[in-house]
Amino acid sequence: MSASWGDELRATFALAWPLVIAQLAQNALTATDVIMLGWLGPTHLAAGTLATTFLMPFLVCGVGIVGAVAPLVAQARGARDIKAVRRVVRQGMWAAILLAVLFTPILLQIRPIYAALGQDPTITLMAEEYIQVGVWMLFPALTIIALRSLLSAFDATRIILLVTVGGVLFNAFANYGLIFGHFGMPRLELRGAALATVLANIVMFGLMLAYVLRQRRFKRFYVLMRLWKPDWPRFREIFRIGTPIGLTVLAEVGLFTAAALLMGLLGTDEVAAHAIALQCASMAFMVPLGLGIAATVRVGMAYGRGDAEGIRKAGWTAFALGTSFMAVSCALFLTLGPSIVALFLDPRVPENAHALALAGTFLVVAGVFQLVDGAQVVAAHALRGLSDTKIPMVFAILGYWAIGLPTAWLFGFVIGWRGVGIWLGLAAGLAAVAVVLVARFAMRERLGLLRPR
């Protein structure tokens, strides 16, 4: 018998709130690097930004692929198949290692790739210094996703929160020491920032693994038992489900990267205003993202035990929570936009006036697309709980790149609405994806998505 609506609401909220805060803390990890590199000066900040911009698509793609462990473990839990849990997590760790091995040599070619793209040679050389060290974060960072998926699927999200916050604090300490040479550490500047990030991810991986191996609830899975033993069907299943997830996330990240490049054609103030509005929207986005991860687990568990009513309640409960929060953030952006953007640029400086005005306008559009952004991310994650990832990937790529980007170009440059037009294009792409994915979840039975796999 499936849970009541009230029970489902409580279960989803209890599962989601540590994930939401952990996602916000994960954002703080990157923010710490940006702030401290900024203390070295604009050249170092530009080099660090160039390096992380190159690294990020590989990282988010890998996170999406290994993230397939979450629905598979949730389904195994729902079906009470303990042996499958161990095998899925073990193969997820191998998938993480394989992806890191494949991505590393590509990332180490940052200098010739950026040279071919016409980037500044001096800054590119500095960015290469960061990548040569920072690329090794992929191994612990991607393996963490397999362990985090196991913990999420068994409602142990508070330990994820504690480990992530601990990683943020460690990263801040190591950054300050290794970038500037404090606490008896060597002054490594860009390499120091990269090394701090690598070490922070190693610490987080070690803490998570120790918890899984020592905590009585998870010891029974013996996740490292016969770690070398292949399980090719489950290994392929992770890539079958995870590759579309990785490409979907990559398509969305690519859309916002393209929007930033379009802003660069308009001027410095537009880029600064875009960065401010995007930072505000990204922070708000962490809430429905955390709810979406919870939806994957709750829907996956119901799917594993063959509970169609449980699937319905889990999906729509997360959807209601996500859109309700985004409605609140929409109202805040619409009513307090000028006050919010003033937190980023000093309004008393006359040179900031134009950028602040633009940021306030962009934030109004961001407020409107908060609703569709929340809807699309929760719907996508609910469908992942059903192992439905290929068709949503196609819809996402078409929505972002066949609707969102052309609309941004049309409104921004052809019609002449400039930055506002670009943001309207982003909203159009997200809205198209949201409508299709929500409709797909609503029609899940008619489309045959509930058939046992």
Side-chain angles (χ1 to χ4, degrees):
M1 181 179 178
S2 63
S4 67
W5 285 103
D7 290 339
E8 185 62 46
L9 178 64
R10 285 188 288 273
T12 300
F13 184 78
L15 180 63
W17 76 259
L19 292 171
V20 170
I21 300 175
Q23 290 295 330
L24 291 169
Q26 194 74 38
N27 264 14
L29 203 67
T30 306
T32 304
D33 290 356
V34 171
I35 291 169
M36 292 197 185
L37 284 175
W39 294 348
L40 289 175
T43 303
H44 286 81
L45 179 57
T49 303
L50 207 61
T52 52
T53 299
F54 189 61
L55 175 64
M56 198 54 62
F58 294 92
L59 178 61
V60 298
C61 183
V63 166
I65 293 172
V66 182
V69 171
L72 292 173
V73 170
Q75 291 165 19
R77 182 191 177 189
R80 301 183 183 277
D81 189 349
I82 290 187
K83 190 177 291 186
V85 171
R86 176 175 66 248
R87 290 176 174 173
V88 169
V89 174
R90 190 172 63 199
Q91 296 309 303
M93 294 172 74
W94 275 112
I97 293 169
L98 175 62
L99 288 167
V101 168
L102 293 175
F103 291 161
T104 296
I106 302 172
L107 285 162
L108 291 175
Q109 300 305 309
I110 181 173
R111 185 150 47 102
I113 291 173
Y114 270 170
L117 295 174
Q119 295 294 321
D120 181 273
T122 302
I123 294 180
T124 297
L125 195 62
M126 294 172 67
E128 185 182 40
E129 290 181 20
Y130 183 101
I131 287 292
Q132 285 173 342
V133 177
V135 69
W136 303 107
M137 72 168 282
L138 287 176
F139 289 89
L142 295 180
T143 313
I144 283 171
I145 302 302
L147 297 177
R148 193 180 75 180
S149 297
L150 169 65
L151 295 169
S152 298
F154 282 84
D155 309 324
T157 50
R158 293 190 184 189
I159 187 63
I160 297 173
L161 169 60
L162 291 174
V163 168
T164 306
V165 171
V168 171
L169 295 176
F170 178 89
N171 185 63
F173 171 81
N175 257 328
Y176 191 63
L178 291 168
I179 292 175
F180 303 105
H182 296 304
F183 313 124
M185 301 181 192
R187 181 184 175 97
L188 300 177
E189 300 189 343
L190 278 164
R191 289 182 184 273
L195 181 58
T197 302
V198 173
L199 293 174
N201 277 278
I202 291 173
V203 167
M204 289 191 289
F205 170 71
L207 291 173
M208 256 185 219
L209 182 62
Y211 184 85
V212 168
L213 294 179
R214 296 177 63 87
Q215 210 276 342
R216 186 165 62 179
R217 190 181 180 197
F218 294 98
K219 279 175 66 174
R220 61 193 173 119
F221 295 122
Y222 300 103
V223 295
L224 296 184
M225 187 176 74
R226 292 195 291 273
L227 182 62
W228 61 88
K229 184 179 179 181
D231 187 341
W232 299 119
R234 285 185 172 84
F235 188 75
R236 287 192 294 269
E237 183 77 350
I238 287 171
F239 279 91
R240 185 187 70 81
I241 295 172
T243 300
I245 297 175
L247 294 177
T248 299
V249 177
L250 194 59
E252 186 172 2
V253 170
L255 174 66
F256 282 90
T257 300
L261 295 175
L262 291 178
M263 287 290 182
L265 300 176
L266 297 175
T268 303
D269 285 344
E270 280 81 357
V271 173
H274 175 74
I276 292 170
L278 189 58
Q279 183 63 45
C280 296
S282 297
M283 292 296 286
F285 180 74
M286 293 301 108
V287 175
L289 178 59
L291 286 163
I293 297 170
T296 296
V297 172
R298 297 294 300 171
V299 170
M301 286 172 56
Y303 181 54
R305 64 176 182 264
D307 182 0
E309 180 64 12
I311 291 171
R312 183 173 78 93
K313 288 177 178 174
W316 291 122
T317 297
F319 181 82
L321 287 171
T323 51
S324 296
F325 174 82
M326 292 308 245
V328 173
S329 66
C330 171
L332 290 175
F333 286 0
L334 293 178
T335 57
L336 300 177
S339 300
I340 293 172
V341 299
L343 298 173
F344 294 85
L345 287 175
D346 189 346
R348 294 170 297 181
V349 178
E351 291 80 6
N352 293 342
H354 187 222
L356 282 168
L358 288 172
T361 306
F362 295 168
L363 208 57
V364 170
V365 184
V368 174
F369 88 43
Q370 289 291 289
L371 296 172
V372 293
D373 203 13
Q376 65 90 17
V377 71
V378 174
H381 279 80
L383 290 169
R384 289 171 195 174
L386 302 175
S387 298
D388 180 39
T389 58
K390 288 184 181 178
I391 301 302
M393 173 196 70
V394 174
F395 288 146
I397 292 174
L398 289 175
Y400 298 145
W401 289 90
I403 296 176
L405 190 60
T407 304
W409 175 264
L410 175 66
F411 287 167
F413 295 91
V414 178
I415 295 179
W417 292 351
R418 297 176 65 82
V420 172
I422 293 172
W423 273 81
L424 287 172
L426 294 175
L430 290 167
V433 175
V435 168
V436 174
L437 295 187
V438 172
R440 186 168 177 81
F441 182 77
M443 299 169 63
R444 60 197 176 279
E445 292 187 63
R446 195 181 311 174
L447 296 172
L449 302 182
L450 304 189
R451 288 195 298 268
R453 294 178 185 274

